[in-house]
Each structure stands twice: as C-alpha cells, then as structure tokens.
Amino acid sequence: MAAALGGLGLLYGRFRLAAAVAATSSALGPRAPVRGGAAAFPSAGRGYGSEAKEEEELRVRYLDEEHKGIVVLGLNRSHAKNALNKNLLKMMSKAVDALKSDKKVRTVIFRSEVPGIFCAGADLKERAKMHSSEVGSFVSKARATINEMANLPVPTIAAIDGIALGGGLELALACDIRVAASSAKMGLVETKLAIIPGAGGTQRLPRTIGISLAKELIFSARIVDGEEAKSIGLISHVVEQNEAGDAAYRRALALAREFLPQGPVAMRVAKLAIDQGMEVDLVTGLAIEEACYAQTIPTKDRIEGLLAFKEKRSPRYKGE
C-alpha cells in the first residue's frame, strides 16, 4: 500500500509539474509551421552542404493537412555526420522544451535530413578540443537532453535511415518506437576506444533487448544492421531502403498517422502509465494506471469514445 501511495505521489507530482509548464507556455513564443505536409520534406538529392548555418543544424517542421499534429525534428549537420555537439544539443533541448507544453502536438518524429546517416554519436572533434573539466559537463548535457526527449508526453518515433552509433543510438533508444531501413547500421560504439555509452545506453539498451544480449553488444562493440536489429527487438519495424533514402521516415510518418485519430489526453496518460509502471512493482503500476485513467473521465476524449463504442456495438448487446 505504501508503495502504491508512493507511486501516486510521484505521478501527481508530474501532473503538477506539467501544469506549471503549461502555464508558462505563452513565454515560448510563436512557432512558424511549414506548409505542405510530407511533400515539404526533401528526400533524394537533399544536398545540404557543409556550410549549413548553426540555426539549421536542427530543423523543426510542423506538418499540416492530413499530417496535422505531427512534428518532425530533423538532424542536419552533414559535414559532421549529424554528430552531437554543444550547439545541436542546445537546439534539441530548446525544441523539446517547446514541444512538451504544446497541446497541439500529437506525435514527434526524429529523423536525419542527411542521406545515409542518422547520427554518428558525439562530436569527437569538438570533444578533443575540450578541457578535461568540460567533458563531464558535456556528457551530462547530452544525457539530460536525451532524457528530456524520453519524457516528452506524446509518442515519439525514431526514423533510422542510416548509421546510428553511440549517442545516435542512445537518442533512438529514448524514443518510444524505432523504425529502421534494412541497410541501416547501429551500435553503441563511437570508436573502438570508447565503447562505454555515456547518455543512457547502458540503461536503455538492456531494458529494450534484455540484459544478457545488451552486455554482449556493448562488450563486443558490435554493429548490427536493420534486419538483425529487428530480430533482437532493438527496433519495431524494418523496411527496405528506397531510392530517395527515406524509407524509414516514410514508415514512421505512416505510423504517426495511425495515432492521429486517437484521443490526445488518453494518448498522453497511456504513455505516462506505461513509462512509470515499468519502473515499479505491479501493485504500484496498477495504482498509477488508475490515477491516469481518472484523468480521462471528465474529458471530451472519453465521452466521444464511449458514444462511438455504443454506436458500433452489435445489436444483441443493445439495451443491456
């Protein structure tokens, strides 16, 4: 019982925090949506050069029309294979902070806008220039940013259309669902001299594929392709790469569209119940689920859902 109450305290604490964040959402400023749905996204022949401005290293796209509610965060550091540097982490943190309090956002897709690469991990060239006292701070910032991604209240999908190494795979592991092209390569190693993940990989990988197999992959610094990643449970969907090089993104977009008709409040509390429930015992998890369900009772989502269910029921159940 005490454990259940502790779980509820943690849950309601997060609800209070979410309310506080929502109250300050007006300070985030307006966003500029990109019109045109999926057609607005470059695929083959994207050709982003090495002279990309810093503010373009992360492209935030708010889709519309039939994709309204889907937001795409596109990594765009072609000259550095989307390696995570201080600026990119800062931009990611800022984008995620804005998204978490935006009630119009229904699903977030993380992808690369650089052909053949998802993310090559930490920017080792930048790290080599850091003083030893700066490295710990950088790793902490990377871990905090990826944790912020994992804690987004809406579903998140990683579209892996290329190499995802080290911090790149850790970024993908922080997403709820991972989709990869069959040719994609992924692993928790940046170099043979740095096989220890620093942004949550030693914790999220075993929770995803199991302890023994996670140890094997980390100890061996093994890199797997999309097919093997699917077979071990590292990703949910594997697709054949297309000529445009964005097959995983297209599959992620189709998956995100499946989420759009669902009630937004129900989606958010379902994610919260699952994420928190997996970290506690079953009794506490059930208490968390009950508290989450209570959040949907007075909502428009639930009322409309019940009405729709009643209309679709087989005639033999009517009047019962």
PDB file of all heavy atoms in Angstrom, residues 160-164 180-186 224-227 241:
ATOM      1  N   ILE A 160      15.282   5.686 -38.548  1.00  0.00           N
ATOM      2  CA  ILE A 160      16.718   5.454 -38.738  1.00  0.00           C
ATOM      3  C   ILE A 160      16.967   5.016 -40.176  1.00  0.00           C
ATOM      4  O   ILE A 160      16.803   3.854 -40.531  1.00  0.00           O
ATOM      5  CB  ILE A 160      17.229   4.381 -37.748  1.00  0.00           C
ATOM      6  CG1 ILE A 160      16.826   4.756 -36.316  1.00  0.00           C
ATOM      7  CG2 ILE A 160      18.742   4.226 -37.849  1.00  0.00           C
ATOM      8  CD1 ILE A 160      17.092   3.655 -35.299  1.00  0.00           C
ATOM      9  N   ASP A 161      17.363   5.981 -41.001  1.00  0.00           N
ATOM     10  CA  ASP A 161      17.612   5.692 -42.415  1.00  0.00           C
ATOM     11  C   ASP A 161      19.098   5.558 -42.728  1.00  0.00           C
ATOM     12  O   ASP A 161      19.480   5.526 -43.893  1.00  0.00           O
ATOM     13  CB  ASP A 161      17.010   6.804 -43.289  1.00  0.00           C
ATOM     14  CG  ASP A 161      15.550   6.536 -43.621  1.00  0.00           C
ATOM     15  OD1 ASP A 161      15.259   5.431 -44.089  1.00  0.00           O
ATOM     16  OD2 ASP A 161      14.707   7.424 -43.389  1.00  0.00           O
ATOM     17  N   GLY A 162      19.922   5.496 -41.700  1.00  0.00           N
ATOM     18  CA  GLY A 162      21.357   5.370 -41.920  1.00  0.00           C
ATOM     19  C   GLY A 162      22.059   4.986 -40.642  1.00  0.00           C
ATOM     20  O   GLY A 162      21.455   4.432 -39.712  1.00  0.00           O
ATOM     21  N   ILE A 163      23.328   5.294 -40.558  1.00  0.00           N
ATOM     22  CA  ILE A 163      24.150   4.900 -39.418  1.00  0.00           C
ATOM     23  C   ILE A 163      23.721   5.601 -38.134  1.00  0.00           C
ATOM     24  O   ILE A 163      23.517   6.809 -38.108  1.00  0.00           O
ATOM     25  CB  ILE A 163      25.631   5.210 -39.712  1.00  0.00           C
ATOM     26  CG1 ILE A 163      26.113   4.387 -40.909  1.00  0.00           C
ATOM     27  CG2 ILE A 163      26.504   4.931 -38.495  1.00  0.00           C
ATOM     28  CD1 ILE A 163      27.490   4.777 -41.409  1.00  0.00           C
ATOM     29  N   ALA A 164      23.587   4.818 -37.061  1.00  0.00           N
ATOM     30  CA  ALA A 164      23.268   5.348 -35.727  1.00  0.00           C
ATOM     31  C   ALA A 164      24.245   4.729 -34.742  1.00  0.00           C
ATOM     32  O   ALA A 164      24.093   3.580 -34.343  1.00  0.00           O
ATOM     33  CB  ALA A 164      21.836   5.011 -35.350  1.00  0.00           C
ATOM     34  N   ALA A 180      13.631   1.354 -38.807  1.00  0.00           N
ATOM     35  CA  ALA A 180      14.926   1.436 -39.488  1.00  0.00           C
ATOM     36  C   ALA A 180      14.856   0.834 -40.878  1.00  0.00           C
ATOM     37  O   ALA A 180      14.087  -0.100 -41.132  1.00  0.00           O
ATOM     38  CB  ALA A 180      16.009   0.736 -38.675  1.00  0.00           C
ATOM     39  N   ALA A 181      15.661   1.384 -41.772  1.00  0.00           N
ATOM     40  CA  ALA A 181      15.850   0.777 -43.083  1.00  0.00           C
ATOM     41  C   ALA A 181      16.710  -0.463 -42.904  1.00  0.00           C
ATOM     42  O   ALA A 181      17.550  -0.529 -41.991  1.00  0.00           O
ATOM     43  CB  ALA A 181      16.520   1.764 -44.029  1.00  0.00           C
ATOM     44  N   SER A 182      16.513  -1.455 -43.756  1.00  0.00           N
ATOM     45  CA  SER A 182      17.250  -2.715 -43.615  1.00  0.00           C
ATOM     46  C   SER A 182      18.754  -2.515 -43.712  1.00  0.00           C
ATOM     47  O   SER A 182      19.533  -3.254 -43.122  1.00  0.00           O
ATOM     48  CB  SER A 182      16.790  -3.706 -44.679  1.00  0.00           C
ATOM     49  OG  SER A 182      16.926  -3.142 -45.979  1.00  0.00           O
ATOM     50  N   SER A 183      19.172  -1.489 -44.447  1.00  0.00           N
ATOM     51  CA  SER A 183      20.601  -1.235 -44.638  1.00  0.00           C
ATOM     52  C   SER A 183      21.220  -0.399 -43.525  1.00  0.00           C
ATOM     53  O   SER A 183      22.434  -0.196 -43.496  1.00  0.00           O
ATOM     54  CB  SER A 183      20.823  -0.522 -45.971  1.00  0.00           C
ATOM     55  OG  SER A 183      20.103   0.709 -46.002  1.00  0.00           O
ATOM     56  N   ALA A 184      20.391   0.103 -42.608  1.00  0.00           N
ATOM     57  CA  ALA A 184      20.896   0.956 -41.532  1.00  0.00           C
ATOM     58  C   ALA A 184      21.827   0.175 -40.620  1.00  0.00           C
ATOM     59  O   ALA A 184      21.625  -1.009 -40.348  1.00  0.00           O
ATOM     60  CB  ALA A 184      19.736   1.531 -40.733  1.00  0.00           C
ATOM     61  N   LYS A 185      22.866   0.840 -40.144  1.00  0.00           N
ATOM     62  CA  LYS A 185      23.810   0.239 -39.203  1.00  0.00           C
ATOM     63  C   LYS A 185      23.687   0.944 -37.869  1.00  0.00           C
ATOM     64  O   LYS A 185      23.610   2.180 -37.816  1.00  0.00           O
ATOM     65  CB  LYS A 185      25.248   0.371 -39.721  1.00  0.00           C
ATOM     66  CG  LYS A 185      25.476  -0.181 -41.115  1.00  0.00           C
ATOM     67  CD  LYS A 185      25.343  -1.697 -41.161  1.00  0.00           C
ATOM     68  CE  LYS A 185      25.683  -2.230 -42.553  1.00  0.00           C
ATOM     69  NZ  LYS A 185      25.514  -3.696 -42.640  1.00  0.00           N
ATOM     70  N   MET A 186      23.707   0.165 -36.780  1.00  0.00           N
ATOM     71  CA  MET A 186      23.558   0.794 -35.477  1.00  0.00           C
ATOM     72  C   MET A 186      24.309   0.022 -34.401  1.00  0.00           C
ATOM     73  O   MET A 186      24.470  -1.192 -34.476  1.00  0.00           O
ATOM     74  CB  MET A 186      22.076   0.932 -35.113  1.00  0.00           C
ATOM     75  CG  MET A 186      21.288  -0.356 -35.117  1.00  0.00           C
ATOM     76  SD  MET A 186      19.503  -0.108 -35.291  1.00  0.00           S
ATOM     77  CE  MET A 186      19.386   0.047 -37.089  1.00  0.00           C
ATOM     78  N   VAL A 224      25.053  -3.705 -35.739  1.00  0.00           N
ATOM     79  CA  VAL A 224      24.068  -4.568 -36.393  1.00  0.00           C
ATOM     80  C   VAL A 224      23.336  -3.787 -37.482  1.00  0.00           C
ATOM     81  O   VAL A 224      23.260  -2.552 -37.438  1.00  0.00           O
ATOM     82  CB  VAL A 224      23.056  -5.130 -35.378  1.00  0.00           C
ATOM     83  CG1 VAL A 224      23.757  -5.967 -34.325  1.00  0.00           C
ATOM     84  CG2 VAL A 224      22.261  -4.005 -34.717  1.00  0.00           C
ATOM     85  N   ASP A 225      22.808  -4.526 -38.469  1.00  0.00           N
ATOM     86  CA  ASP A 225      22.008  -3.868 -39.495  1.00  0.00           C
ATOM     87  C   ASP A 225      20.536  -3.906 -39.103  1.00  0.00           C
ATOM     88  O   ASP A 225      20.164  -4.437 -38.049  1.00  0.00           O
ATOM     89  CB  ASP A 225      22.239  -4.511 -40.865  1.00  0.00           C
ATOM     90  CG  ASP A 225      21.845  -5.984 -40.921  1.00  0.00           C
ATOM     91  OD1 ASP A 225      21.079  -6.441 -40.041  1.00  0.00           O
ATOM     92  OD2 ASP A 225      22.296  -6.677 -41.847  1.00  0.00           O
ATOM     93  N   GLY A 226      19.694  -3.339 -39.956  1.00  0.00           N
ATOM     94  CA  GLY A 226      18.278  -3.241 -39.632  1.00  0.00           C
ATOM     95  C   GLY A 226      17.611  -4.570 -39.400  1.00  0.00           C
ATOM     96  O   GLY A 226      16.789  -4.721 -38.484  1.00  0.00           O
ATOM     97  N   GLU A 227      17.943  -5.570 -40.218  1.00  0.00           N
ATOM     98  CA  GLU A 227      17.309  -6.883 -40.090  1.00  0.00           C
ATOM     99  C   GLU A 227      17.643  -7.528 -38.747  1.00  0.00           C
ATOM    100  O   GLU A 227      16.772  -8.066 -38.062  1.00  0.00           O
ATOM    101  CB  GLU A 227      17.754  -7.792 -41.237  1.00  0.00           C
ATOM    102  CG  GLU A 227      17.270  -7.362 -42.614  1.00  0.00           C
ATOM    103  CD  GLU A 227      15.771  -7.544 -42.802  1.00  0.00           C
ATOM    104  OE1 GLU A 227      15.131  -8.163 -41.923  1.00  0.00           O
ATOM    105  OE2 GLU A 227      15.237  -7.074 -43.820  1.00  0.00           O
ATOM    106  N   GLN A 241      15.187  -0.073 -47.965  1.00  0.00           N
ATOM    107  CA  GLN A 241      15.505   1.305 -48.320  1.00  0.00           C
ATOM    108  C   GLN A 241      15.044   1.608 -49.739  1.00  0.00           C
ATOM    109  O   GLN A 241      15.084   0.742 -50.613  1.00  0.00           O
ATOM    110  CB  GLN A 241      17.009   1.579 -48.169  1.00  0.00           C
ATOM    111  CG  GLN A 241      17.413   3.038 -48.306  1.00  0.00           C
ATOM    112  CD  GLN A 241      16.694   3.946 -47.319  1.00  0.00           C
ATOM    113  OE1 GLN A 241      15.543   4.323 -47.545  1.00  0.00           O
ATOM    114  NE2 GLN A 241      17.381   4.284 -46.236  1.00  0.00           N
TER     115      GLN A 241
END
